[in-house]
Amino acid sequence: MIDENDFEVYIQNIFDILNAYYSIDFSSYKLNCLQRRIKRRMIISKIDKVEEYLELISNDEKERSKLMDTITINVTRFFRDEKTYNYIYKNLLPKFTQKKDIKVWSAGCSSGEEPYSIAMLLDYYKTEKHLNYNYNIFATDIDSRSIDKGLSGVYTPKSIYNLSDIFHIIFNFYIKKQGNYYYIDENIMNSVHFEKNSIFSSNWEGKFDFIFCRNVFIYFSRELQNQALQIFRDHLKDDGYLVLGRVETIFFEKRNIFNIISNRDKIYSKKIKE
Ligand SMILES: C[S@@+](CC[C@H](N)C(=O)[O-])C[C@H]1O[C@@H](n2cnc3c(N)ncnc32)[C@H](O)[C@@H]1O
């Protein structure tokens, strides 16, 4: 049996090790969420003393990296929550027809399915409406393995799980299938720029038309969510949109900096006067 009290004593040491090796400070992340994941790794490693597990991750690079993977679970897929993509296509992109450049930040992009979906959506709209804007998607995540997968542009059917016919058409338009693998079209790949980086150390020049930060807040304490929201507001153009995950929301203390555009799809615009 793992002793819960041990976590109180040693959890900061675990965070310190991860911070030393991966330069990510998890100490403001949601504690119970992290403990659950650390416990999962301890059970798999057949260790029931947190102190021993601490020792293991200090010395064993493989286990350290497995713990990091477990903590940053990066479940994702193409066009996750299609209704949200549909809403953007029908209601928001028509406002962008006069733009020359569209700039998007996918914050917490995981292995690339999200930024590639955005690029496909923007390209499909552009083609269908005979427009000629350029688009660039800046995709960041703290997990280097996810970033490497995104850079490879190669996916398996797992990443299009549950895709409807309509979105399958868009997806097929931009991939080549070989055997059991999907290869992303070169133009789409060139429009997505991956970078290993934390939301909290972003240093962008210029502002974005869209910021997607979906299914990332689940890890963050309320304080960290509010910090992230302030960063997003500072990096959003006045006519830009923030898109959160469907089960995520903006706490009342930050409602003074965003307007709700779609409550169902968790889409927000910037309040110009706070
Ligand atoms: C569940 S995935 C979500 C992927 C995608 N946005 C989606 O909705 O399908 C959450 C991702 O957030 C990343 N993440 C966690 N903390 C982060 C931070 N501070 N900065 C950037 N990415 C972060 C994790 O590494 C993970 O890949």
Side-chain angles (χ1 to χ4, degrees):
M1 273 285 283
I2 298 171
D3 183 349
E4 294 287 329
N5 295 330
D6 269 8
F7 272 108
E8 273 180 39
V9 183
Y10 296 110
I11 195 116
Q12 189 55 47
N13 302 51
I14 296 184
F15 294 155
D16 288 347
I17 290 177
L18 294 175
N19 199 3
Y21 283 96
Y22 303 107
S23 309
I24 296 295
D25 184 6
F26 287 110
S27 40
S28 305
Y29 279 47
K30 277 186 192 154
L31 211 56
N32 53 359
C33 177
L34 294 178
Q35 277 190 12
R36 243 191 346 260
R37 291 179 189 160
I38 296 169
K39 263 191 215 162
R40 201 180 308 154
R41 284 307 317 161
M42 288 176 65
I43 291 167
I44 293 171
S45 313
K46 299 191 171 54
I47 286 180
D48 56 11
K49 287 212 161 28
V50 185
E51 193 181 2
E52 269 175 42
Y53 187 68
L54 186 64
E55 175 98 18
L56 180 67
I57 59 165
S58 314
N59 301 316
D60 182 348
E61 199 251 309
K62 254 195 187 151
E63 180 54 32
R64 201 162 50 231
S65 141
K66 279 187 183 150
L67 175 64
M68 183 70 181
D69 280 353
T70 311
I71 287 183
T72 58
I73 44 156
N74 17 49
V75 178
T76 185
R77 57 182 187 275
F78 282 92
F79 299 107
R80 183 178 195 173
D81 305 319
E82 289 180 12
K83 282 187 179 150
T84 303
Y85 285 90
N86 205 24
Y87 183 93
I88 295 170
Y89 197 87
K90 291 216 165 102
N91 301 291
L92 305 185
L93 292 187
K95 299 176 199 266
F96 286 77
T97 52
Q98 302 303 318
K99 293 239 180 188
K100 284 201 165 54
D101 285 294
I102 298 181
K103 233 174 114 181
V104 183
W105 177 15
S106 165
C109 65
S110 185
S111 37
E113 288 86 336
E114 177 179 283
Y116 285 134
S117 299
I118 301 167
M120 289 174 185
L121 195 83
L122 288 173
D123 198 85
Y124 202 80
Y125 188 80
K126 174 179 161 170
T127 310
E128 196 180 49
K129 306 288 179 204
H130 308 290
L131 303 171
N132 52 24
Y133 53 66
N134 295 313
Y135 55 90
N136 282 286
I137 326 294
F138 297 84
T140 61
D141 201 285
I142 51 171
D143 183 32
S144 48
R145 278 218 250 168
S146 294
I147 294 289
D148 287 346
K149 178 153 190 230
L151 283 167
S152 78
V154 185
Y155 296 91
T156 59
K158 188 174 115 239
S159 295
I160 51 162
Y161 162 78
N162 248 351
L163 210 60
S164 71
D165 289 350
I166 288 284
F167 281 92
H168 227 121
I169 290 171
I170 302 182
F171 180 76
N172 282 338
F173 203 73
Y174 295 106
I175 54 103
K176 266 204 189 77
K177 189 164 191 254
Q178 273 174 21
N180 215 20
Y181 293 100
Y182 301 109
Y183 294 82
I184 305 285
D185 165 271
E186 204 183 324
N187 285 335
I188 294 291
M189 280 193 74
N190 289 340
S191 68
V192 177
H193 316 280
F194 288 97
E195 194 180 309
K196 181 183 170 279
N197 207 350
S198 169
I199 289 163
F200 304 101
S201 42
S202 326
N203 186 16
W204 300 111
E205 270 176 29
K207 298 194 175 188
F208 295 93
D209 297 285
F210 286 95
I211 297 177
F212 282 64
C213 184
R214 313 197 65 227
N215 309 299
V216 181
F217 275 13
I218 35 171
Y219 301 102
F220 295 170
S221 64
R222 188 172 181 139
E223 195 196 341
L224 216 52
Q225 290 186 28
N226 287 340
Q227 266 182 44
L229 286 168
Q230 192 60 51
I231 292 172
F232 296 150
R233 187 186 189 275
D234 295 343
H235 286 90
L236 205 57
K237 288 184 186 168
D238 286 353
D239 57 352
Y241 296 98
L242 169 69
V243 187
L244 298 181
R246 278 203 145 201
V247 295
E248 292 160 337
T249 191
I250 293 186
F251 289 119
F252 74 91
E253 59 268 30
K254 285 290 167 198
R255 297 256 168 95
N256 60 336
I257 59 171
F258 287 105
N259 300 304
I260 300 174
I261 299 297
S262 164
N263 204 19
R264 188 198 64 183
D265 296 296
K266 299 295 174 339
I267 299 178
Y268 303 87
S269 70
K270 182 165 159 172
K271 257 191 194 156
I272 305 299
K273 279 197 180 140
E274 288 191 27

